[in-house]
Amino acid sequence: MTPQLLLAFDDEWPLAEALATALAVPLKPITRHRFPDGELKLTLPPALPERVALLRGLHQPNDKLVELLISAPAARELGARELLLVCPYLAYMRQDIAFSPGEAVSQRHIAGLLARVVDALVTIDPHLHRIASLDEVMPGCRARALTAAGALGGWVSQRVPDALLLGPDEEALQWVAEAGRAHGLDHAVCHKQRQGDRQVTIALPAVPIAGRRVVLMDDVASTGRTLVEAATACLQAGAASVDVAVTHALFVGDALAHLRGCGVREVWSTDAVPHATAVVPVAPLLADAIASL
């Protein structure tokens, strides 16, 4: 699908401008008005072409899901016949199984909901652990999951050429292995045990840490507690330095301050999520994928 227009919200405008330039398509805003009771009024361009791309990442997911669920059918009413969702950060992918009786499997339900309102979706590093691809939970939707591991690895290799890429847990192996292979960097993963949303313990892998410049790499940083524990363990083991590279910099609350406070030197992320640490652009990655759909 080659879109004829890109729609975006103001909070993702820098990425929207870069993506529209890469796609060589016009960019138009969706404006928001919030009523005193919290309800939203969205305003789209009054006439849309047949093929439209909508940029809406799902950081701060609950508000943005509502915006998406209003704007997608509104775009169809205004002329869009094919609708592509460009969702750099796809939320609700972590809960991919019911760990206790009665738990809702949010991955399946949110993905299925999105599959019913858009024709295609492009995202970056969704947290897929127990499924092989988004096709399993988005029937009838052309879904493409990209990875920013290579781009992040390239950034790291330029600044820490001898880095040891370390995943904070086993689930990060896919990202550190991809980045390590692409740029000739050593890589390994830690073992994590989680006791709660903000309580984890980390065991370092059986590789030399002392004297190494370690870069912790993961798909998403939320509370940052796993990265704090991993960084602390590396520094206690004699690491020369510890930096952090993540695709999605959520860093809720004081997460970034905790990372700085435990001795982490630099924090780098992609601009898939707007954040002060964003240094790696994803527009070229997204544009290539959109062109190939």
Side-chain angles (χ1 to χ4, degrees):
M1 171 183 174
T2 303
Q4 298 164 293
L5 176 72
L6 177 64
L7 295 175
F9 293 81
D10 59 350
D11 60 326
E12 292 183 294
W13 203 250
L15 175 56
E17 289 182 317
L19 182 57
T21 298
L23 292 170
V25 299
L27 170 63
K28 297 292 184 181
I30 299 175
T31 60
R32 291 172 288 187
H33 173 77
R34 189 176 292 275
F35 293 102
D37 62 0
E39 288 190 5
L40 285 167
K41 178 177 70 174
L42 302 182
T43 303
L44 288 70
L48 296 177
E50 289 191 355
R51 300 188 304 278
V52 172
L54 168 61
L55 175 65
R56 178 78 290 188
L58 294 180
H59 47 290
Q60 301 160 347
N62 297 338
D63 284 349
K64 289 177 169 54
L65 270 170
V66 172
E67 293 168 358
L68 178 55
L69 294 176
I70 296 173
S71 57
R76 294 196 188 278
E77 289 181 347
L78 294 168
R81 301 193 55 183
E82 286 188 87
L83 190 58
L84 163 67
L85 173 60
V86 184
C87 187
Y89 174 64
L90 183 59
Y92 283 109
M93 293 296 104
R94 298 186 203 179
Q95 182 81 23
D96 57 3
I97 192 174
F99 295 96
S100 301
E103 282 186 352
V105 183
S106 57
Q107 180 192 82
R108 186 166 65 240
H109 302 311
I110 295 297
L113 179 63
L114 294 178
R116 291 192 289 274
V117 298
V118 299
D119 302 298
L121 175 143
V122 174
T123 188
I124 300 175
D125 286 333
H127 199 87
L128 305 182
H129 180 41
R130 294 176 180 85
I131 66 171
S133 74
L134 285 170
D135 294 335
E136 297 180 38
V137 288
M138 300 192 73
C141 180
R142 292 170 287 163
R144 181 76 60 84
L146 315 174
T147 181
L152 274 174
W155 177 271
V156 169
S157 67
Q158 292 175 14
R159 284 146 188 84
V160 192
D162 57 346
L164 168 62
L165 296 181
L166 198 60
D169 54 34
E170 292 89 341
E171 292 180 17
L173 177 60
Q174 56 186 307
W175 293 288
V176 296
E178 172 79 14
R181 284 193 298 265
H183 300 283
L185 299 173
D186 294 340
H187 62 274
V189 294
C190 301
H191 175 69
K192 178 176 73 174
Q193 289 187 325
R194 181 178 291 279
Q195 287 82 42
D197 288 343
R198 297 176 182 267
Q199 294 179 320
V200 296
T201 57
I202 293 291
L204 294 176
V207 298
I209 300 291
R212 297 297 304 270
R213 296 201 289 173
V214 175
V215 176
L216 297 171
M217 179 175 283
D218 209 353
D219 62 328
V220 60
S222 181
T223 66
R225 291 305 188 266
T226 299
L227 291 169
V228 166
E229 292 297 320
T232 301
C234 288
L235 291 169
Q236 290 175 347
S241 63
V242 177
D243 301 312
V244 167
V246 296
T247 300
H248 303 298
L250 303 182
F251 290 125
V252 297
D254 58 0
L256 190 57
H258 274 285
L259 272 179
R260 304 288 194 194
C262 79
V264 167
R265 187 181 60 169
E266 298 285 349
V267 179
W268 305 305
S269 68
T270 76
D271 61 356
V273 172
H275 196 266
T277 62
V279 292
V280 177
V282 297
L285 186 68
L286 291 168
D288 287 346
I290 292 168
S292 67
L293 275 175

